[in-house]
């Protein structure tokens, strides 16, 4: 009976979702303003259907995709940026991608069923790697500061090994997450000192190297894991804290400017909302419009970018193999002046799909993304390490929206998969060494 009730509830939610998708589709087809309103309604509906469950992708992904899809159109509507002739078409295609994602994923919520036993064997090795990653990153930050490397471009051009130690950040974030969950689940307390220290370390990294990624990932992981495993905040508090995190984007940009260049200018506009939309979230949709505006300069690639993604991730280190990516292709073709200066404007996952097969490609790309996130979400509910992995992946999915599939694969392998593998190898090594020593004592 209970299972039947769940099925009926899920069926009702799916029915509501399909009705709202149909209505918002009509709004989006009608006009640009209708498209923006449609995206807002569809996002609110998705969040409502899962009761603001922060672990469910309907909550976090919908908010992110709303921001990335509508920021550029909103800035155009209010006259902050020149209007594109393709703004309406871009909204329609992004609505197709978003609707596909929601349908594939489904509104079904899953309950956590976690056994903390896995964490027991990770305490010692996590503490060791956490401390070691701080030492390594300290050496790197000290070198960057002493040599005045004021941007990611300067750091990438530097040939010293000391400027190439940012891999330690991934180990720092992963072991922080393990230590956080260990304290909450096994010690039943919130590790305030650990949280404050780690977030402060993330701010220091921003001020010295200009890299906001570490702090943002720490913030997202802390927010979600603490809410899910410890506090269970009310919906009002979740809305307030989520809004604060979004508005932190221009503040982090200010902190970066203060630390790296010494600038004390807080915002580039008198309206902080415009800064939020323009400094981070307008890139994906504006890049897609740029691609549409230059249709005559390129032809459909019929899936070739997937081969680019594969080569970039798995074959780029081999000699005599040249690799590119949809993001590199886009910036080289449309923003060569920025590329010459060591910069770039990212790309768009919707645009990558469109570049291959048109609207069908955007549909296909988000069908694949929805299936992957659905699988990861399902597995995370029953395994504490997979829950940590899933939570760590959320910022990576954010970067993927304004990147391409190689962004997803590269970040997953380098920033999560490899650190977890190394931790497990070291865990096995230490446990084996401990077993041998105990066995010798018994003999």
């Amino acid at each position: 009976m209970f299972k039947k009730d769940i099925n009926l509830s899920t069926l009702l939610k799916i029915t509501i979702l399909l009705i709202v998708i149909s209505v918002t589709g009509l709004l989006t087809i009608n006009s640009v303003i209708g498209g923006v309103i449609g995206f807002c309604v569809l996002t609110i509906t998705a969040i409502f259907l899962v009761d603001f469950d922060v672990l469910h992708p309907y909550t976090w992904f919908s908010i992110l995709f709303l921001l990335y899809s509508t920021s550029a159109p909103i800035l155009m509507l209010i006259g902050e940026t020149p209007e594109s002739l393709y703004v309406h078409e871009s909204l329609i295609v992004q609505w197709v991608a978003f609707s596909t994602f929601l349908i594939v994923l489904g509104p079904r919520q899953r309950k956590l069923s976690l056994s903390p036993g896995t964490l027991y064997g990770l305490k010692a090795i996590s503490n060791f790697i956490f401390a070691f990653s701080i030492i390594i990153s300290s050496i790197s930050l000290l070198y960057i500061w002493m040599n005045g490397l004021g941007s990611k471009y300067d750091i990438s051009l530097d040939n010293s090994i000391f400027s190439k130690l940012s891999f330690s950040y991934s180990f720092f974030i992963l072991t922080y997450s393990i230590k956080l969950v260990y304290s909450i689940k096994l010690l039943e307390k919130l590790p305030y000192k650990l949280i404050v220290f780690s977030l402060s370390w993330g701010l220091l990294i921003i001020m010295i190297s200009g890299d906001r990624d570490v702090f943002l990932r720490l913030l997202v992981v802390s927010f979600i894991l603490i809410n899910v495993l410890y506090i269970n905040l009310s919906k009002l508090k979740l809305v307030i804290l989520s809004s604060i995190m979004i508005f932190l984007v221009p503040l982090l940009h200010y902190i970066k400017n203060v630390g790296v260049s010494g600038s004390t200018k807080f915002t580039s506009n008198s309206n902080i909302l415009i800064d939020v939309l323009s400094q981070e979230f307008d890139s994906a949709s504006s890049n897609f419009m740029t691609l549409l505006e230059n249709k005559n300069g390129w032809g459909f690639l019929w899936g070739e970018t997937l081969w680019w993604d594969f080569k970039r991730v798995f074959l780029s280190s081999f000699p005599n193999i040249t690799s590119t990516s949809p993001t590199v292709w886009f910036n080289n073709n449309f923003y060569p002046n920025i590329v010459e200066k060591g910069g770039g404007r990212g790309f768009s996952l919707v645009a990558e799909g469109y570049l291959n097969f048109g609207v069908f490609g955007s549909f296909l790309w988000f069908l694949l993304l929805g299936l992957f996130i659905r699988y990861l979400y399902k597995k995370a509910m029953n395994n504490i390490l997979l829950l940590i992995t899933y939570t760590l992946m959320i910022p990576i999915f954010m970067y993927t929206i304004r990147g391409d599939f190689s962004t997803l694969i590269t970040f997953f392998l380098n920033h999560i998969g490899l650190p977890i593998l190394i931790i497990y190898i070291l865990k096995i090594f230490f446990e084996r060494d401990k077993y041998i020593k105990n066995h010798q004592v018994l003999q």
Side-chain angles (χ1 to χ4, degrees), residues 4 29 34 41 60 77 83 98 117 123 148 166-167 169 177 201 205 249 267 277 285 290 303 332 373 393 419 433 436:
K4 184 181 291 185
I29 292 172
V41 171
W60 56 264
L77 286 171
E83 186 169 344
F98 188 33
K123 180 184 179 182
S166 59
F167 68 87
Y169 300 158
S177 304
W201 192 252
I205 291 172
V249 172
T267 62
L277 298 178
S285 50
T290 300
N332 285 339
I373 294 180
M393 284 292 293
D433 185 59
I436 292 173

Side-chain angles (χ1 to χ4, degrees), residues 250-398:
L251 178 59
L252 293 178
H253 187 72
Y254 167 74
I255 293 172
K256 171 186 173 181
N257 287 340
V258 170
V260 174
S261 63
S263 172
T264 56
K265 187 177 181 181
F266 179 51
T267 62
S268 57
N269 296 281
S270 58
N271 190 330
I272 192 172
L273 178 59
I274 294 175
D275 274 350
V276 170
L277 298 178
S278 62
Q279 288 186 10
E280 168 65 30
F281 297 111
D282 73 324
S283 57
S285 50
S286 62
N287 287 340
F288 186 31
M289 285 180 233
T290 300
L291 187 73
L292 294 174
E293 289 165 359
N294 294 275
K295 281 182 179 181
N296 294 331
W298 56 271
F300 291 129
L301 298 180
W302 308 112
E304 186 178 349
T305 68
L306 291 176
W307 172 238
W308 294 354
D309 294 334
F310 178 83
K311 283 202 302 182
R312 186 172 182 83
V313 174
F314 298 106
L315 303 178
S316 59
S317 59
F318 288 88
N320 302 322
I321 293 182
T322 57
S323 64
T324 185
S325 71
T327 301
V328 171
W329 176 90
F330 173 78
N331 284 278
N332 285 339
N333 277 278
F334 302 113
Y335 296 101
N337 295 333
I338 298 178
V339 173
E340 285 180 7
K341 298 176 182 178
R345 285 185 50 85
F347 192 37
S348 159
L349 190 62
V350 175
E352 182 187 357
Y354 192 92
L355 180 61
N356 284 279
F357 302 106
V359 179
F360 176 74
S362 299
F363 159 82
L364 181 61
W365 259 236
F366 274 74
L367 182 147
L368 295 174
L369 182 67
L371 289 173
F372 177 68
I373 294 180
R374 177 180 176 175
Y375 175 81
L376 196 59
Y377 168 66
K378 179 180 177 181
K379 294 298 180 182
M381 297 301 101
N382 300 310
N383 185 292
I384 204 155
L385 278 179
L386 287 178
L387 174 65
I388 293 173
T389 300
Y390 171 74
T391 309
L392 289 170
M393 284 292 293
I394 291 176
I396 295 175
F397 290 123
M398 169 181 167

Side-chain angles (χ1 to χ4, degrees), residues 142-269:
L142 183 62
Y143 176 84
I144 291 170
W145 177 68
M146 291 181 65
N147 288 273
L149 304 178
S151 68
K152 290 183 178 180
Y153 181 57
D154 294 335
I155 295 172
S156 66
L157 290 179
D158 189 83
N159 293 321
S160 172
I161 190 175
F162 296 113
S163 63
K164 313 297 181 186
L165 301 175
S166 59
F167 68 87
S168 60
Y169 300 158
S170 298
F171 288 92
F172 174 73
I173 296 169
L174 175 61
T175 50
Y176 162 78
S177 304
I178 293 173
K179 286 167 65 66
L180 176 64
V181 174
Y182 183 93
S183 180
I184 293 174
K185 292 294 291 183
L186 297 181
L187 303 182
E188 297 183 349
K189 65 178 183 179
L190 198 62
Y192 292 100
K193 293 181 180 179
L194 172 69
I195 296 169
V196 171
F197 169 79
S198 299
L199 291 176
S200 301
W201 192 252
L203 288 174
L204 183 65
I205 291 172
I206 295 176
M207 296 189 70
I208 294 177
S209 70
D211 189 348
R212 295 178 293 174
D213 173 59
V214 176
F215 181 83
L216 286 172
R217 288 163 67 190
L218 287 169
L219 192 64
V220 170
V221 167
S222 302
F223 173 72
I224 293 178
L225 290 178
I226 292 173
N227 177 70
V228 170
L229 301 177
Y230 188 76
I231 296 178
N232 194 19
L233 295 169
S234 66
K235 294 179 182 62
L236 177 61
K237 290 180 179 178
L238 284 174
V239 171
I240 293 172
L241 289 175
S242 300
S243 302
I244 291 173
M245 289 173 64
I246 292 170
F247 278 93
L248 272 177
V249 172
L251 178 59
L252 293 178
H253 187 72
Y254 167 74
I255 293 172
K256 171 186 173 181
N257 287 340
V258 170
V260 174
S261 63
S263 172
T264 56
K265 187 177 181 181
F266 179 51
T267 62
S268 57
N269 296 281

